[in-house]
Amino acid sequence: MLENVRIVMVETTHPGNVGAAARAMKTMGFSDLRLVKPQGYPNVEATARASGAGDVLEAAQVCDSLDEALEGATLVIGTSARQRRIPWPCLTPRQLAAQLSHEPEETRIAVLFGREDRGLTNDELRRCNLHVSVPANPDYGVLNVASAVQLICYELRLALLGEDFDLKEARSRREAMPLPEMFWDEPLATNEAVAGFLDHLETVMEQSGFLNPEQPGQVMTRMRRLFMRARPDKMEMSILRGVLVALEKKMKEGGNP
Amino acid sequence: MLENVRIVMVETTHPGNVGAAARAMKTMGFSDLRLVKPQGYPNVEATARASGAGDVLEAAQVCDSLDEALEGATLVIGTSARQRRIPWPCLTPRQLAAQLSHEPEETRIAVLFGREDRGLTNDELRRCNLHVSVPANPDYGVLNVASAVQLICYELRLALLGEDFDLKEARSRREAMPLPEMFWDEPLATNEAVAGFLDHLETVMEQSGFLNPEQPGQVMTRMRRLFMRARPDKMEMSILRGVLVALEKKMKEGGNP
């Protein structure tokens, strides 16, 4: 269904953003890019920012009008940072995703992205079936246009492929972790405290003769994984540090039965 | 809670991406940016791409090491495009958001983003409590680093502010465990294997002199809780058993430096 989605960039002024948008699209599996009167395009900066999505950029259709870009579309979605004077059906990207999961397969979707400085005009927005607005910082909600393309394409991919929800249903080879407990008695150890403990553990494992520093293999990686995923609290780190110190002392003295 | 999140960019090579990341952060309400050994920074391109987020860029802390950038963090999240040889708890951004909705307010979160060309090193990824990977086009899944920052910050904003759906439920004082990973390389240890290890650990702790069998306090309860919630796999149990056997031997022999 991804092939039924086109991204339409209207009068983009920085060609670098066109390249970055092509890349954002390709990472999410989209390839139909249409450019309405792009400024200074084509351009080497567009190519550079497209990175491995040069094919999407090269295939981009340059259009003289929005009409041309929207030809055949059955659902037109306008991106907008702010609510206009006359309210329009306006969804968050997540709500849009939920909406699209109910669409029939043949729906041909166009998502419009406006100019870097002032977005889509009121006329352009009125051409849309619905508007989508990214929940953002009220003090500064101006996303870069290619970042907005990335974010919308990400939500569309999840909605259209259903990848996110499938992940939860698919059988894991790893059993589920415990559910969160409601109360905990100790604050968590900091990252550096756990790192310090793991270094100390490694030293003691070498002193014990278990770990050969010449051939360590993956042993410490496995120990790190175990303790990092457990997210030890401060008391646990303090106990384990105490044990390591006591072990070092005993290994020096010897004489245990 | 947004102020408890820091974005850590490790050895970024294109300063423009640092600026774009600052902008992406600010649009989602985040402001704590840390740069580990950024190349060619500061730079006019960084400033240009930051656009209205010059304040975030100016306040960015340049760090000599990852340790410095992670100071005080209690939950470290690494972004990674691919699965490594030894799998780590790995979530999608959406699963991460669900996870964070259970975190207590004081959790200090660091999200790591790696180099443009090769991401984070294995060593850096092992410093993380969990990994997050964006579901992407299997043929070309390489997001621009600033686009990745945009996307993760967007999911974090929705999760932490509860703007999108019902994540507003009462927060736990205890951090949630990672959700199940899709693939794990080792089968889990059985309950009796973990119980046997814990008995053995107790014996060794007593032999070391750390644990007084007359006055054990809550020490073993805490150790049990730590290892039970981590749900060790068979390989981890086998390593830890081997370490305990080696320690017992050394404590008998003595003579360690």
Side-chain angles (χ1 to χ4, degrees):
Chain A
M1 205 172 158
L2 302 188
E3 65 276 11
N4 286 337
V5 177
R6 72 189 79 171
I7 299 296
V8 180
M9 298 179 83
V10 181
E11 296 186 9
T12 315
T13 50
H14 297 295
N17 284 330
V18 174
R23 177 176 179 178
M25 286 172 63
K26 186 167 179 182
T27 62
M28 294 295 124
F30 298 95
S31 58
D32 188 350
L33 174 60
R34 307 193 186 192
L35 308 169
V36 179
K37 294 187 234 159
Q39 283 184 34
Y41 179 86
N43 182 290
V44 289
E45 211 193 321
T47 311
R49 298 269 304 273
S51 193
D55 54 341
V56 172
L57 191 65
E58 266 175 47
Q61 188 180 322
V62 177
C63 305
D64 287 330
S65 67
L66 184 57
D67 283 330
E68 189 186 335
L70 293 185
E71 195 194 341
T74 56
L75 177 62
V76 180
I77 298 156
T79 55
S80 173
R82 55 189 188 281
Q83 193 50 266
R84 308 290 162 142
R85 207 161 56 107
I86 296 189
W88 215 258
C90 187
L91 309 181
T92 68
R94 194 71 45 96
Q95 290 170 326
L96 173 67
Q99 165 101 3
L100 292 186
S101 63
H102 298 293
E103 288 291 319
E105 283 210 8
E106 60 271 24
T107 301
R108 297 181 65 190
I109 302 168
V111 190
L112 274 55
F113 293 85
R115 301 148 192 85
E116 283 90 338
D117 54 349
R118 47 201 177 88
L120 296 166
T121 65
N122 284 336
D123 274 351
E124 287 156 358
L125 282 165
R126 285 187 208 112
R127 298 285 307 272
C128 299
N129 300 106
L130 51 88
H131 297 165
V132 63
S133 186
V134 176
N137 183 353
D139 296 329
Y140 181 70
V142 195
L143 275 72
N144 167 271
V145 65
S147 291
V149 170
Q150 181 78 63
L151 206 151
I152 299 291
C153 285
Y154 160 76
E155 287 282 7
L156 292 181
R157 179 182 181 84
L158 294 187
L160 298 177
L161 298 189
E163 277 182 0
D164 200 58
F165 306 102
D166 283 354
L167 275 178
K168 285 170 191 163
E169 285 156 23
R171 276 295 90 197
S172 172
R173 277 194 52 216
R174 166 79 178 145
E175 279 78 354
M177 293 294 171
L179 290 169
E181 305 86 48
M182 289 311 291
F183 301 104
W184 203 252
D185 51 344
E186 293 290 330
L188 281 197
T190 62
N191 188 265
E192 55 267 34
V194 181
F197 159 73
L198 284 164
D199 287 344
H200 195 172
L201 176 65
E202 184 169 10
T203 304
V204 169
M205 282 167 71
E206 286 172 3
Q207 288 173 355
S208 78
F210 178 85
L211 187 64
N212 178 357
E214 308 297 318
Q215 289 190 316
Q218 294 297 321
V219 165
M220 280 314 296
T221 301
R222 290 184 180 279
M223 290 297 98
R224 277 175 210 285
R225 181 173 72 172
L226 170 64
F227 284 100
M228 291 308 280
R229 78 166 183 270
R231 300 182 67 193
D233 65 37
K234 284 185 176 172
M235 176 71 85
E236 289 161 350
M237 283 291 92
S238 155
I239 291 170
L240 285 167
R241 281 291 204 141
V243 173
L244 292 179
V245 169
L247 286 166
E248 285 183 304
K249 192 157 168 279
K250 274 288 171 188
M251 284 194 282
K252 205 185 293 184
E253 292 171 359
N256 265 28
Chain B
M1 207 176 156
L2 302 187
E3 65 276 10
N4 285 337
V5 176
R6 71 188 81 170
I7 299 296
V8 180
M9 299 180 83
V10 181
E11 296 187 8
T12 315
T13 49
H14 298 296
N17 284 330
V18 174
R23 177 175 178 180
M25 287 172 63
K26 188 168 178 182
T27 62
M28 295 294 124
F30 299 95
S31 59
D32 187 350
L33 174 59
R34 306 192 188 192
L35 308 168
V36 179
K37 294 189 231 157
Q39 283 183 36
Y41 178 86
N43 181 291
V44 288
E45 211 192 321
T47 310
R49 299 267 306 271
S51 191
D55 53 341
V56 171
L57 191 66
E58 264 176 47
Q61 187 180 322
V62 177
C63 304
D64 288 329
S65 67
L66 184 57
D67 284 329
E68 189 185 337
L70 293 184
E71 195 194 341
T74 55
L75 176 61
V76 181
I77 299 157
T79 55
S80 173
R82 56 192 187 280
Q83 191 54 265
R84 309 290 163 142
R85 202 159 63 102
I86 294 194
W88 215 262
C90 187
L91 309 182
T92 68
R94 195 71 45 92
Q95 289 172 325
L96 173 67
Q99 160 104 2
L100 292 184
S101 66
H102 297 292
E103 289 288 321
E105 288 212 1
E106 63 269 24
T107 300
R108 297 180 64 191
I109 301 168
V111 190
L112 274 56
F113 294 84
R115 299 147 194 84
E116 283 90 338
D117 55 348
R118 49 205 176 83
L120 295 166
T121 65
N122 284 336
D123 274 352
E124 287 157 358
L125 284 166
R126 284 187 207 113
R127 297 289 306 272
C128 299
N129 298 105
L130 53 89
H131 297 164
V132 63
S133 188
V134 177
N137 183 353
D139 296 329
Y140 181 69
V142 195
L143 275 73
N144 165 270
V145 64
S147 291
V149 169
Q150 182 77 62
L151 206 152
I152 299 290
C153 285
Y154 161 75
E155 287 281 8
L156 293 181
R157 180 182 179 84
L158 293 188
L160 297 176
L161 298 189
E163 280 182 359
D164 202 58
F165 44 80
D166 276 326
L167 292 175
K168 288 176 205 158
E169 294 150 44
R171 288 188 180 281
S172 166
R173 275 195 52 223
R174 168 63 187 154
E175 288 75 358
M177 292 298 133
L179 292 168
E181 310 80 35
M182 292 307 295
F183 301 105
W184 202 251
D185 54 339
E186 294 290 331
L188 282 197
T190 62
N191 192 264
E192 54 269 35
V194 180
F197 159 74
L198 284 163
D199 287 346
H200 195 172
L201 177 65
E202 184 169 11
T203 306
V204 170
M205 282 167 71
E206 286 173 2
Q207 288 172 355
S208 77
F210 178 84
L211 188 64
N212 178 355
E214 306 299 317
Q215 289 192 315
Q218 292 299 317
V219 165
M220 279 317 295
T221 303
R222 291 185 179 277
M223 289 297 97
R224 278 174 210 287
R225 181 171 70 170
L226 170 64
F227 285 100
M228 293 308 281
R229 78 167 183 270
R231 305 192 65 196
D233 64 37
K234 284 186 175 170
M235 176 72 84
E236 290 162 351
M237 282 293 90
S238 154
I239 291 170
L240 285 168
R241 280 293 202 138
V243 173
L244 293 179
V245 169
L247 286 166
E248 286 184 304
K249 191 159 169 280
K250 275 286 171 189
M251 284 193 284
K252 206 183 293 185
E253 293 169 359
N256 263 28

